[in-house]
Amino acid sequence: MKSPALVVIAVLLSLFSTTLFADCATRAVMNAPQIPTDRNLSKTELLALENQVVEFVDRANALLPVCARYSTALNYDRAMDKLELVANDYNAAIRSYKQSFVATN
């Protein structure tokens, strides 16, 4: 009688752990900072945004290696794309600020 109960418990635990980690990569890149791309940012805005971007990238870099084991390749790739998009948008905002700064001085 014990073996059918153990099988049921094992199956339920397996299903639960799969569901728990199914969107690990997606959760790793949630709450990404919003980087305005339609206007130049001030130095103050860029510095505040820098802190948000660094925290986001650090958190994602800590979680994504773990998530690689639990997420599908598609979810993992999407998370990596999101991470890269945030970094590229932030770098573009910095380049835009520098260009406008040089143009006015």
Side-chain angles (χ1 to χ4, degrees), residues 20-76:
L20 181 65
F21 293 110
D23 285 317
C24 180
T26 303
R27 286 193 310 270
V29 294
M30 286 179 75
N31 301 319
Q34 297 299 313
I35 302 171
T37 56
D38 58 343
R39 63 182 176 87
N40 286 338
L41 300 174
S42 69
K43 183 177 181 178
T44 305
E45 290 174 312
L46 278 174
L47 291 174
L49 193 55
E50 177 184 16
N51 292 333
Q52 294 173 22
V53 170
V54 167
E55 287 175 13
F56 171 73
V57 169
D58 287 347
R59 184 182 71 239
N61 281 336
L63 294 174
L64 283 172
V66 174
C67 293
R69 292 182 279 168
Y70 300 109
S71 297
T72 64
L74 179 63
N75 284 344
Y76 185 81

